[in-house]
Amino acid sequence: MDEKILLVEDDPAIVRFLKLALKTGHYDVDSATTGIMGINHFLSDKPDIVLLDLGLPDIDGMEVLHQIREIGKTPIIILSARDREIEKVDALDKGADDYVTKPFTVGELMARIRVCLRKSDSYVETPDSFVFKSLTIDFVKRKVFIGESEIHLTPIEYKIITLLVKNQGKVLTHAYIQNEIWGYPSDDDYQSLRVFMASIRRKIESDTNNPQYIKTEVGVGYRFLEE
Ligand code: CA
């Protein structure tokens, strides 16, 4: 059965374009042009994923996000025309799963949708290892390799890279990583996280200016890349 997408967006041009693109991608699409309609459709249609615009004519998209999160964990991708980083970060911290900034390509949006649906729909047992390009992580022995050579990471670096690969394809905010690794908010504006991240990259990336593994989402956080 096709997966059901709820699109909450007031711009008719974007609605038309996305409906066509998503239907071509074999998704079932339902759309709402206001925040209130979005919440009502969410309750009645039980979508598998929600694409949510922040700038809506009635209530703010952040309010829609908040109300949906009160009910459940359905993946939510923010469609944001606002490239102000603080709003993306705020949405991610308040439970959105990812965001795309307008204008975006269909390919980019489809990739984000696939990642979100994959994470949500199946409970996967923790695998023994992770392999991507030349990187291998052995979760049992807690060892990391590039090709055949072992890379020595500190315990914190190991925790960070493990967190990133377990969320491959998904953006993780600075605050999220900080909380998962240290368990308390940062008092240094994520400076120590940046230092750890730079160190991990020096160890695993062959060219830190053109990363193959960890992408910086400027002002937001980090994303472990996927194919
Ligand atoms: Ca809008």
Side-chain angles (χ1 to χ4, degrees), residues 9-11 53 55-56 102:
E9 165 68 75
D10 63 323
D11 182 331
D53 178 25
L56 294 167
K102 296 170 185 171

PDB file of all heavy atoms in Angstrom, residues 9-11 53 55-56 102, ligand 1:
ATOM      1  N   GLU A   9       0.629  23.177   3.467  1.00  0.00           N
ATOM      2  CA  GLU A   9       1.318  24.217   2.693  1.00  0.00           C
ATOM      3  C   GLU A   9       0.262  25.126   2.069  1.00  0.00           C
ATOM      4  O   GLU A   9      -0.745  24.643   1.552  1.00  0.00           O
ATOM      5  CB  GLU A   9       2.159  23.515   1.607  1.00  0.00           C
ATOM      6  CG  GLU A   9       2.675  24.370   0.491  1.00  0.00           C
ATOM      7  CD  GLU A   9       3.723  25.377   0.953  1.00  0.00           C
ATOM      8  OE1 GLU A   9       4.872  24.960   1.215  1.00  0.00           O
ATOM      9  OE2 GLU A   9       3.366  26.568   1.046  1.00  0.00           O
ATOM     10  N   ASP A  10       0.478  26.438   2.129  1.00  0.00           N
ATOM     11  CA  ASP A  10      -0.536  27.355   1.599  1.00  0.00           C
ATOM     12  C   ASP A  10      -0.209  27.896   0.213  1.00  0.00           C
ATOM     13  O   ASP A  10      -1.049  28.527  -0.414  1.00  0.00           O
ATOM     14  CB  ASP A  10      -0.740  28.529   2.569  1.00  0.00           C
ATOM     15  CG  ASP A  10       0.517  29.358   2.726  1.00  0.00           C
ATOM     16  OD1 ASP A  10       1.620  28.768   2.725  1.00  0.00           O
ATOM     17  OD2 ASP A  10       0.412  30.585   2.847  1.00  0.00           O
ATOM     18  N   ASP A  11       0.994  27.657  -0.271  1.00  0.00           N
ATOM     19  CA  ASP A  11       1.352  28.190  -1.588  1.00  0.00           C
ATOM     20  C   ASP A  11       0.843  27.245  -2.680  1.00  0.00           C
ATOM     21  O   ASP A  11       1.337  26.121  -2.809  1.00  0.00           O
ATOM     22  CB  ASP A  11       2.881  28.326  -1.642  1.00  0.00           C
ATOM     23  CG  ASP A  11       3.360  28.924  -2.957  1.00  0.00           C
ATOM     24  OD1 ASP A  11       2.674  28.742  -3.993  1.00  0.00           O
ATOM     25  OD2 ASP A  11       4.419  29.563  -2.951  1.00  0.00           O
ATOM     26  N   ASP A  53       4.883  23.321   6.150  1.00  0.00           N
ATOM     27  CA  ASP A  53       5.369  24.679   5.895  1.00  0.00           C
ATOM     28  C   ASP A  53       5.278  25.447   7.211  1.00  0.00           C
ATOM     29  O   ASP A  53       4.360  25.226   8.003  1.00  0.00           O
ATOM     30  CB  ASP A  53       4.435  25.284   4.827  1.00  0.00           C
ATOM     31  CG  ASP A  53       4.771  26.721   4.491  1.00  0.00           C
ATOM     32  OD1 ASP A  53       5.933  27.124   4.669  1.00  0.00           O
ATOM     33  OD2 ASP A  53       3.855  27.441   4.039  1.00  0.00           O
ATOM     34  N   GLY A  55       5.329  28.994   7.404  1.00  0.00           N
ATOM     35  CA  GLY A  55       4.560  30.230   7.239  1.00  0.00           C
ATOM     36  C   GLY A  55       3.168  29.942   6.713  1.00  0.00           C
ATOM     37  O   GLY A  55       2.956  29.855   5.511  1.00  0.00           O
ATOM     38  N   LEU A  56       2.211  29.763   7.607  1.00  0.00           N
ATOM     39  CA  LEU A  56       0.842  29.431   7.219  1.00  0.00           C
ATOM     40  C   LEU A  56      -0.073  30.612   7.509  1.00  0.00           C
ATOM     41  O   LEU A  56       0.234  31.435   8.364  1.00  0.00           O
ATOM     42  CB  LEU A  56       0.380  28.187   7.993  1.00  0.00           C
ATOM     43  CG  LEU A  56       1.134  26.893   7.641  1.00  0.00           C
ATOM     44  CD1 LEU A  56       0.852  25.807   8.660  1.00  0.00           C
ATOM     45  CD2 LEU A  56       0.774  26.434   6.240  1.00  0.00           C
ATOM     46  N   LYS A 102      13.342  26.013   1.076  1.00  0.00           N
ATOM     47  CA  LYS A 102      12.878  26.382  -0.263  1.00  0.00           C
ATOM     48  C   LYS A 102      13.848  27.369  -0.887  1.00  0.00           C
ATOM     49  O   LYS A 102      14.336  28.251  -0.178  1.00  0.00           O
ATOM     50  CB  LYS A 102      11.492  27.038  -0.183  1.00  0.00           C
ATOM     51  CG  LYS A 102      10.401  26.117   0.326  1.00  0.00           C
ATOM     52  CD  LYS A 102       9.151  26.957   0.593  1.00  0.00           C
ATOM     53  CE  LYS A 102       8.059  26.108   1.228  1.00  0.00           C
ATOM     54  NZ  LYS A 102       6.939  26.943   1.686  1.00  0.00           N
TER      55      LYS A 102
HETATM   56 CA    CA B   1       3.754  29.482   3.314  1.00  0.00          CA
END
